[in-house]
Amino acid sequence: MSKPNKKRYVLSQVKQQFTEAVGGTDVEFETDKGDVLTFPHPLFADDDWSEAVDAAESSKDKAIAILGPEQYETYRAAGHGDGDIGLLFLAVQQDMQGQVKRRPTR
């Protein structure tokens, strides 16, 4: 029985709302050579990925943790530096914060 004047969240609906608000569970971007690469959206990433990104000490380590080794090679072959992925990651986080503040309601 629901309580008067209390909101009850349904977890699957909350996740769906956030998924729609940030554009999906993966981040997709294009390199200057036209390669399309992806990485998990920070809101939906699994613990192993998040821990690897957080534990990375250098820009290169962080880029590899974010992209994975295979995509990292494609990314570097396109002429991008390790710091560029950090800028992209920061842009995703800022966009996420903006979208979360405007989270849709029922």
Side-chain angles (χ1 to χ4, degrees):
M1 181 167 148
S2 69
K3 299 176 182 178
N5 301 324
K6 296 279 184 174
K7 182 171 182 163
R8 177 178 291 166
Y9 293 91
V10 178
L11 288 177
S12 60
Q13 292 175 356
V14 170
K15 184 175 181 180
Q16 183 61 36
Q17 288 175 350
F18 278 102
T19 301
E20 291 171 6
V22 299
T25 58
D26 291 321
V27 174
E28 184 177 279
F29 69 99
E30 186 174 328
T31 68
D32 290 346
K33 285 191 173 180
D35 302 303
V36 177
L37 305 176
T38 63
F39 59 87
H41 194 287
L43 270 180
F44 305 107
D46 65 32
D47 290 341
D48 290 339
W49 184 88
S50 296
E51 289 171 7
V53 171
D54 290 344
E57 294 187 15
S58 68
S59 295
K60 179 179 181 177
D61 292 342
K62 190 168 284 286
I64 292 170
I66 291 170
L67 296 174
E70 290 179 22
Q71 287 194 120
Y72 176 75
E73 292 303 322
T74 302
Y75 171 80
R76 291 292 293 169
H80 296 285
D82 295 328
D84 294 343
I85 197 68
L87 293 173
L88 174 63
F89 197 71
L90 181 61
V92 168
Q93 289 176 320
Q94 288 179 341
D95 186 48
M96 172 180 63
Q97 289 172 351
Q99 293 299 328
V100 167
K101 288 179 184 175
R102 295 188 301 270
R103 181 182 63 83
T105 58
R106 290 199 264 184

